[in-house]
Amino acid sequence: MPPEDSMGVDSQPPATFQEPLPIGSWREIADGIFRLSIPVPFRGLRQVNLWLIRDGSGWTMVDCGWGDQETRDLITAAWDDILGGRPVTRLVVTHFHPDHMGNCAWIASHWNLLPHVTQTEWMAANLAVRNLYSDDVETRARFFVQNGLSEELLQVFHDGVILYHRGVDLPEQFCRLRDGEDLRIDGRDWRIITGAGHSPEMATLYDRARDIYLAGDQILPKITSNVSVWPWEPLADPLYDFLTSLERIATIVPDSAIVLPSHRDPFRGPRRRVAELKAHHAHRLEVLKADMRRQGEASAGACLAALFQGTLDGHQVAFAMAEALAHLNYLVRRGEAERIERSDGSVRFKLIED
């Protein structure tokens, strides 16, 4: 799900990570850890990182890529080049989004294994692949109209939304990941640290011995993870969940750690990046508040122009609306705005100021 551009200062990765990795290729970025840069069908996002980690007589793989033949061909070629005849013995999926979960059934079947996923992410994936959750397009469309999306952008959404079930296939069973437990990979303990806000219960992994943090989409360089309010939980505050998760992760993972993100290049300084992300969202909130002062009562749809620049495609319209609502709900939680539901069912927001 496409993140937005970050307003923060670019992270400064160590010299060994500065050379870009072309999409469709792979490279060893630490002893026994290979990065695969795989294309995705989302404009602006461009690629996702999959990871292969040497694990004794086999390999642990992290994430699956979008489920199409091009991706499977790239993964197969990487296996041929990297595995050295040893099998993938464990599959970890950080979260349910289609660029991470897509080929889950194919990989699990190929290597005869169960994917390791947190329970909430597994449940979300099963809803989505059954045309519920993200694929409940009509429910999402009604919700967007209720929150002020224009007819023009509603049509853009209908014409361009990318359906989850077209790129994801799930096996019938999984193995649950739990926050605070360790995964033993190649004789080292990787601590499972869950995050929220971008997805319900994302799994991230921290190798304390080598000071390597596999961050999923929870902490990304240069771009920020989308946070979304969904129709079935209209009062949710995913931005609070996201920022709270970042603060928690920063107490566990030191700033010396090398971060392996799901998008863009590895970098150092997770705590510095957390500070940048917090500053980014603080800036976004100020932009939003200024626009609300200008409008008086404002809908999420009426705030899109202030928050998002350029032309949005159908997929981006959906996440722009959901992200605008996330920031509006955060202001409500902090007592800085009120949510007004009109008699016709439409929803507006108004600042509360002295």
Side-chain angles (χ1 to χ4, degrees), residues 35-303:
R35 174 191 174 195
L36 288 61
S37 181
I38 301 296
V40 296
F42 308 113
R43 194 184 86 185
L45 194 56
R46 300 193 299 275
Q47 60 84 233
V48 63
N49 295 322
L50 314 184
W51 306 94
L52 284 167
I53 307 172
R54 187 174 55 233
D55 191 4
S57 59
W59 294 83
T60 288
M61 184 168 183
V62 180
D63 283 342
C64 309
W66 175 260
D68 62 4
Q69 190 59 51
E70 177 187 7
T71 302
R72 289 191 284 273
D73 289 344
L74 288 170
I75 290 173
T76 300
W79 285 341
D80 291 343
D81 280 357
I82 296 169
L83 300 186
R86 293 178 293 178
V88 173
T89 53
R90 176 163 41 201
L91 173 64
V92 174
V93 186
T94 57
H95 59 297
F96 85 98
H97 293 167
D99 49 330
H100 300 262
M101 187 69 77
N103 289 297
C104 187
W106 174 73
I107 295 171
S109 175
H110 186 93
W111 297 107
N112 191 29
L113 47 75
L114 299 180
H116 287 62
V117 192
T118 65
Q119 184 178 50
T120 312
E121 297 291 338
W122 179 253
M123 294 170 68
N126 275 272
L127 285 173
V129 82
R130 287 165 174 79
N131 293 349
L132 303 171
Y133 211 158
S134 55
D135 277 9
D136 191 348
V137 173
E138 292 309 315
T139 296
R140 293 175 75 190
R142 288 193 298 271
F143 183 63
F144 294 156
V145 170
Q146 179 188 33
N147 282 280
L149 186 65
S150 69
E151 290 186 7
E152 178 184 0
L153 287 179
L154 180 66
Q155 190 61 53
V156 172
F157 166 66
H158 273 297
D159 291 344
V161 65
I162 299 174
L163 296 177
Y164 185 95
H165 75 273
R166 292 180 179 172
V168 179
D169 192 16
L170 300 175
E172 295 182 353
Q173 299 173 317
F174 80 111
C175 183
R176 190 193 304 188
L177 297 176
R178 290 179 170 86
D179 181 64
E181 294 186 348
D182 288 332
L183 278 184
R184 191 78 170 168
I185 303 176
D186 203 33
R188 299 181 178 90
D189 288 330
W190 292 68
R191 181 174 176 180
I192 302 166
I193 309 170
T194 57
H198 177 62
S199 68
E201 193 187 5
M202 183 185 305
T204 70
L205 301 173
Y206 177 46
D207 177 353
R208 289 162 288 194
R210 288 193 289 180
D211 206 14
I212 296 175
Y213 178 53
L214 205 155
D217 280 2
Q218 199 69 35
I219 303 178
L220 301 175
K222 300 186 180 182
I223 57 175
T224 68
S225 304
N226 176 266
V227 289
S228 291
V229 172
W230 294 87
W232 32 89
E233 195 180 4
L235 305 183
D237 190 359
L239 181 54
Y240 172 83
D241 295 335
F242 182 68
L243 295 174
T244 301
S245 292
L246 291 181
E247 291 172 354
R248 174 173 172 260
I249 290 166
T251 67
I252 300 170
V253 182
D255 217 33
S256 57
I258 295 171
V259 181
L260 309 184
S262 286
H263 304 282
R264 308 299 193 265
D265 298 321
F267 65 98
R268 290 190 191 273
R271 292 179 179 176
R272 181 179 61 173
R273 185 59 182 153
V274 165
E276 292 172 356
L277 291 170
K278 291 169 66 176
H280 163 76
H281 284 289
H283 173 79
R284 302 279 286 181
L285 290 165
E286 291 303 315
V287 170
L288 177 59
K289 288 162 65 175
D291 194 51
M292 293 172 72
R293 289 188 191 98
R294 179 186 62 81
Q295 295 191 56
E297 288 187 9
S299 68
C303 294

